[in-house]
Amino acid sequence: MKRTDDSSRIAIVGIGSTDYRADYALARAGKPGTDLTGYAVRAFRDALQDSGLVRADIDGLVTATLPYERMGELLGMNPRWSSPGTDPAASFMLAADAIRAGRAECVALIKALDFKSMGTRFGGPQAMGAEQLLHYAYYRPWGFTSQGAFDAVVVQRYMELYGLTHRDMGDVPVAQRAWARLNPRAIMQAPMTIEDYLAHPFIVAPLRLPDYCVIADGAVALIMTTLERARKMARHPLVTIMGMGWGEDNMDVSQLRSKLAFNRMQVSLAARQSYEEAGYGPEDMNGFYFYDNFSGELFYTLENCGYCAEGEGVSFVKSRGIGPGGSFPVNTSGGMMSEAYMQGWNAQVEMVRQLRGQAGTRQIIDCRRVHYVSNTIGKASSIIYARLP
Amino acid sequence: MSVVPERPAPIIGLYDAPLWSFAANNELRLQRCNSCKHVRYFPTGYCPVCLSEDHEWALMSGKGRVASWCVFHKQYFPQIPAPYIVVMVELEEGPIVPANIINCQEEELKIGLSVHVVFEDVLWNDGTRGKIFQWRKESDPVSR
C-alpha cells in the first residue's frame, strides 16, 4: 500500500564508511589497521559526523555481523532499543518499524566485515558458513563448492536459454570498474576493457575473476530518523526511504532450485511491494543498484523487477549503457565487484550520496530516485529511496 | 588392482548414513515422505512440505535431465584435480542432484540432456571406502 503520510516516512540523515582501499592494502600486507569492531566504530564516527548528531542523540542501534552483546559497551552507548541486524533491507525494516513504534527516534545501523584480514575461505575444505548453510559443505564429495560455483550454474543456464555471451556478461564488471575509477575508496581501480576481462582465465566457468566480488575489510554505518526530525536538521538534501519489499522462495534452496529459476518469484514479489509502497515504478528510477556478489545476476534481476521483459536483460543493458555516460547507471560506486564486498551495505551509502548530490565525478545528473535489489539464499529484497524537496 | 580415487568424505549428520549405505550397494535412494510423497534431498528429519517425520528410503529411477553445469578450473580440494565438471540434474522424482559427469566433454552438455546415475568406488579422505554416485549420459554405451 502506498504510504502517503509523512509521519510514517523514514529518512537517512547520516552515512559513514571506512576506507576500503586503504584497509584492503593493509590487510593484504598482513597488517590490518584495526579489527572488526574497530572498523564498525570508524564507520559510526563517520556517520555521526556526517549527520551532525552527537552520540547522545542515537537512541536505537542495529549491528550486523558484529558481536551484538558487546557493541553498546564498545560504542559507549545505552540506547533505548537495539537489535542484531542481517542484510540491509531486513535491518532497515526493523529499524524503521522501531522508529514508527516510538521505540527509538534516531537509529544507527552498523555493518562490519573482516573477511580479508581473517583469510575467510568461501570454497574448499574450510568453506565458511556451513553451520548455517549446509550446502556450502554438503556437495564437497563432488568438488561442488563456493558461492561462485552456485552462481556459475545459474549463469550457464541463462546463457543457453537466453543467449547471454561471455562478452555480454563482461559488460557488467567492466562498467562497474569504470565507476570504481571515479571512487577514491574503491579497492579495484586498474583500468579494465572487455578484452582485459576476456583475457582472465575462468575460476569456475562461466565465471572469471572480475565476475566475483572483492573480499574486503571494512564497515558501513547509516543513521535513520523520522522525516519530521530530518526536516528540522536540514544539514543535507533530504533523503527518504519511499518503499521496501521482501520476497522468499525457499523450496529446495540447498538444491539451488530458486536460483536455477533465476530468482523470479521472490525478486518480483519484493520489487512489486516496494513499487506499491513508493508509488513509483521502474521508469521513475535514476539509478539502479543490485547485490552484485557475481556479475551475471544483473540480467535476470532487471527482468524480475520489470525494467525489461524476461530474456531481454542483455539487450536492455547493451542499449541503455550501465557505466559512466550510460543512460541507466548501475552500482555507481563500483559495487561489490570493484568497490568492496560489504554484503550490500556499501550500495546504501552510495545511493544516499547520489541523492544528495555528493557523488563527485560519478554524480548522476539530477538524481532523485534510486532502487536497490538483492537476492541471496532464496531471500530477495527491494528498497526505493528518493530525494524530497 | 586399479587405484581407487580419493574424494573428500561426505558430511554424515543425523540422517545421512542410509544414503551412503545404499550408494555402496549401487542404489540411489532418497527420503520419500510417507504422508505427502514428497521426495527430498539432502537428507533431513522431516518433510518440508507437510512437516511429517514419517518417511521411507525410496529407490530412485536413477534417471534425470541436465538443468545446468559449471566447470571448475580452480582446484578447491587436494583430492579433485581441475578442470572438472559439476552437472545439476533434475531427477524424474523431482529433486535436483549435483554430481560430476563421467566420460563427457563440456561441449556435449546441454539443458535437458538425459543422464543416468552410476556408482564409482572411492576412498574417502577419512580413510574409509565407499561409493560415490555420479552421472553419465544416457547415450553413453559404457556399461553400468
Side-chain angles (χ1 to χ4, degrees):
Chain A
M1 198 175 71
K2 186 178 175 184
R3 286 184 191 279
T4 49
D5 55 328
D6 272 6
S7 65
S8 73
R9 287 215 188 283
I10 300 297
I12 307 281
V13 293
I15 51 172
S17 65
T18 53
D19 187 337
Y20 311 122
R21 185 174 172 80
D23 290 330
Y24 183 86
L26 289 169
R28 206 171 183 203
K31 294 172 182 163
T34 182
D35 58 10
L36 186 70
T37 56
Y39 295 123
V41 171
R42 286 181 183 176
F44 176 60
R45 235 168 29 208
D46 197 28
L48 261 187
Q49 189 174 25
D50 175 74
S51 70
L53 296 169
V54 297
R55 232 182 331 171
D57 295 320
I58 307 300
D59 58 357
L61 182 62
V62 175
T63 54
T65 49
L66 278 158
Y68 167 67
E69 283 81 1
R70 283 211 71 205
M71 288 315 296
E73 178 190 357
L74 292 166
L75 294 168
M77 287 167 55
N78 299 309
R80 284 201 289 145
W81 172 83
S82 73
S83 172
T86 54
D87 85 333
S91 303
F92 280 25
M93 288 173 178
L94 198 66
D97 287 346
I99 291 169
R100 291 187 192 116
R103 300 192 196 286
E105 188 180 9
C106 294
V107 177
L109 300 97
I110 313 176
K111 163 79 176 184
L113 291 169
D114 59 356
F115 287 146
K116 187 68 188 174
S117 55
M118 296 303 283
T120 306
R121 310 313 298 176
F122 293 82
Q126 270 83 47
M128 57 86 80
E131 62 287 345
Q132 285 200 48
L133 296 160
L134 184 55
H135 68 281
Y136 278 20
Y138 186 86
Y139 300 121
R140 67 189 185 194
W142 301 275
F144 190 37
T145 185
S146 79
Q147 189 60 54
F150 301 153
D151 274 72
V153 294
V154 181
V155 169
Q156 178 61 49
R157 185 170 163 85
Y158 189 89
M159 283 178 151
E160 184 175 330
L161 290 178
Y162 301 107
L164 174 75
T165 66
H166 294 284
R167 187 173 280 268
D168 295 334
M169 188 160 71
D171 287 345
V172 183
V174 166
Q176 291 192 198
R177 180 63 56 82
W179 285 118
R181 287 170 54 72
L182 306 175
N183 174 7
R185 286 187 168 183
I187 293 170
M188 293 295 167
Q189 300 205 2
M192 184 167 68
T193 65
I194 190 70
E195 302 307 329
D196 296 332
Y197 166 84
L198 290 168
H200 278 274
F202 292 119
I203 305 288
V204 180
L207 300 186
R208 296 172 159 88
L209 186 62
D211 295 310
Y212 285 67
C213 56
V214 186
I215 303 308
D217 273 22
V220 173
L222 298 112
I223 298 171
M224 273 185 182
T225 189
T226 61
L227 190 57
E228 187 186 2
R229 177 150 182 172
R231 281 199 195 282
K232 286 182 198 145
M233 292 169 68
R235 185 182 173 92
H236 299 287
L238 189 56
V239 172
T240 63
I241 295 168
M242 294 299 285
M244 295 194 274
W246 192 265
E248 304 204 10
D249 183 0
N250 294 312
M251 184 67 168
D252 296 335
V253 282
S254 299
Q255 300 169 14
L256 313 184
R257 187 177 294 280
S258 60
K259 284 180 79 72
L260 288 167
F262 308 113
N263 313 316
R264 297 214 187 277
M265 186 172 110
Q266 69 268 37
V267 173
S268 59
L269 183 61
R272 198 164 61 238
Q273 290 170 63
S274 65
Y275 294 150
E276 283 169 10
E277 192 171 284
Y280 300 147
E283 64 284 358
D284 298 312
M285 306 301 174
N286 304 116
F288 185 75
Y289 296 78
F290 78 107
Y291 192 93
D292 57 323
N293 50 350
F294 302 97
S295 55
E297 186 106 1
L298 177 62
F299 302 100
Y300 40 90
T301 301
L302 290 169
E303 297 166 7
N304 295 339
C305 293
Y307 285 87
C308 55
E310 182 180 322
E312 290 179 3
V314 174
S315 55
F316 180 87
V317 166
K318 282 242 184 278
S319 65
R320 297 291 300 271
I322 59 173
S327 69
F328 190 77
V330 172
N331 287 358
T332 53
S333 67
M336 298 198 295
M337 290 188 288
S338 276
E339 185 186 33
Y341 178 52
M342 286 289 126
Q343 298 189 325
W345 288 78
N346 47 330
Q348 313 309 317
V349 167
E350 173 68 5
M351 287 185 278
V352 175
R353 276 195 215 106
Q354 288 284 356
L355 290 166
R356 286 177 176 179
Q358 297 171 348
T361 54
R362 60 183 191 279
Q363 180 64 49
I364 299 169
I365 305 301
D366 192 24
C367 184
R368 285 165 295 145
R369 295 165 201 138
V370 294
H371 187 191
Y372 169 79
V373 180
S374 161
N375 181 80
T376 54
I377 318 288
K379 294 165 180 54
S381 61
S382 174
I383 309 175
I384 295 168
Y385 293 78
R387 185 185 71 213
L388 291 189
Chain B
M1 205 176 91
S2 64
V3 179
V4 176
E6 193 178 334
R7 288 270 174 167
I11 292 191
I12 304 294
L14 266 182
Y15 305 101
D16 297 292
L19 176 78
W20 296 101
S21 302
F22 289 123
N25 289 317
N26 299 324
E27 287 183 349
L28 180 61
R29 285 184 184 263
L30 298 182
Q31 292 167 298
R32 185 168 61 206
C33 177
N34 280 335
S35 170
C36 76
K37 305 301 176 194
H38 175 70
V39 178
R40 59 191 193 253
Y41 182 65
F42 26 80
T44 57
Y46 52 87
C47 171
V49 174
C50 72
L51 305 184
S52 166
E53 296 183 24
D54 185 19
H55 67 274
E56 63 178 333
W57 284 89
L59 182 64
M60 299 292 109
S61 69
K63 290 179 181 173
R65 289 179 182 274
V66 170
S68 194
W69 67 92
C70 64
V71 185
F72 281 77
H73 291 261
K74 176 186 165 91
Q75 182 168 341
Y76 279 97
F77 296 94
Q79 302 86 6
I80 310 177
Y84 59 95
I85 300 174
V86 171
V87 291
M88 310 293 293
V89 170
E90 187 161 20
L91 291 181
E92 283 183 341
E93 293 84 357
I96 299 170
V97 179
N100 309 121
I101 186 159
I102 62 167
N103 200 22
C104 180
Q105 301 299 308
E106 190 194 356
E107 295 69 31
E108 302 174 72
L109 289 168
K110 61 180 193 306
I111 295 170
L113 181 74
S114 293
V115 296
H116 198 290
V117 73
V118 286
F119 298 86
E120 292 187 318
D121 291 321
V122 284
L123 176 64
W124 300 121
N125 72 339
D126 61 7
T128 61
R129 281 175 178 255
K131 285 192 177 179
I132 188 170
F133 47 91
Q134 301 284 28
W135 299 112
R136 70 168 174 85
K137 290 171 290 177
E138 190 62 35
S139 59
D140 190 338
V142 172
S143 61
R144 289 169 59 196

